[in-house]
Amino acid sequence: MNTTAIKPDGTVLGFDVGARRIGVAVGSAFGHGARALAVIDVHADHIDWPTIDRLHKEWRPDGLVVGDPMTLDGGDQPIRQRAHAFARELQARYQLPVVLMDERASSIEAAQRFALDRSEGRRRRRDAAALDAVAAAVIVERWIAAPGDATVL
């Protein structure tokens, strides 16, 4: 795969696309991994683009990483089509490189991180709404660790 789509030393916004929510994270290879930023609600297939525009303006990313929700055997599913459409819309809106990163089991990893943070007193039960943003951080960290595994849009 093409690893030059996003500068390896650049800042990226990452997205975990779901039917009801989109988790957003920011990360850089020169930072300490990725950080969960926000959870954006999706209502009747309407995405809150003004919030994404605000995050884009605030963080000025060099590229965008979207989780690619394949089935466990690498196949297609309806949410994957939604994620790919979202990635194409990001590219059209912001004219930035966009890559798709395998997100299989990212939600499980995010839930495990959340549980650990909760047991150590860094999170509360009411913080569970941020779980999608933590999943986005996992996706960004996977890209940082292995940018060559990403699929360039």
Side-chain angles (χ1 to χ4, degrees), residues 26-131:
V26 64
S28 169
F30 288 107
H32 298 295
R35 179 170 68 105
L37 286 180
V39 175
I40 298 168
D41 289 325
V42 176
H43 298 287
D45 290 335
H46 176 74
I47 296 170
D48 181 1
W49 285 106
T51 298
I52 296 172
D53 291 342
R54 182 182 52 77
L55 291 168
H56 172 262
K57 185 177 179 180
E58 179 180 348
W59 291 97
R60 302 184 186 278
D62 298 295
L64 307 166
V65 180
V66 177
D68 191 1
M70 296 179 242
T71 60
L72 289 177
D73 64 357
D76 217 359
Q77 60 180 329
I79 195 66
R80 188 175 191 204
Q81 295 165 7
R82 182 183 302 248
H84 285 221
F86 178 77
R88 288 189 299 273
E89 180 65 21
L90 285 172
Q91 189 173 53
R93 287 177 82 92
Y94 303 118
Q95 301 295 303
L96 289 171
V98 177
V99 297
L100 297 163
M101 196 70 197
D102 184 352
E103 71 165 44
R104 285 179 280 190
S106 63
S107 295
I108 295 169
E109 186 174 338
Q112 290 170 339
R113 288 183 185 190
F114 182 83
L116 178 63
D117 285 351
R118 195 156 174 249
S119 72
E120 294 176 352
R122 291 191 303 261
R123 295 252 188 204
R124 295 196 169 118
R125 183 175 298 190
R126 70 173 184 252
D127 296 333
L131 201 52

Side-chain angles (χ1 to χ4, degrees), residues 139-153:
I139 292 164
V140 169
E141 288 173 358
R142 287 180 181 178
W143 176 79
I144 290 169
D149 290 349
T151 302
V152 177
L153 189 62

Side-chain angles (χ1 to χ4, degrees), residues 16-29:
D16 177 43
V17 179
R20 294 182 305 218
R21 288 178 298 280
I22 298 172
V24 186
V26 64
S28 169

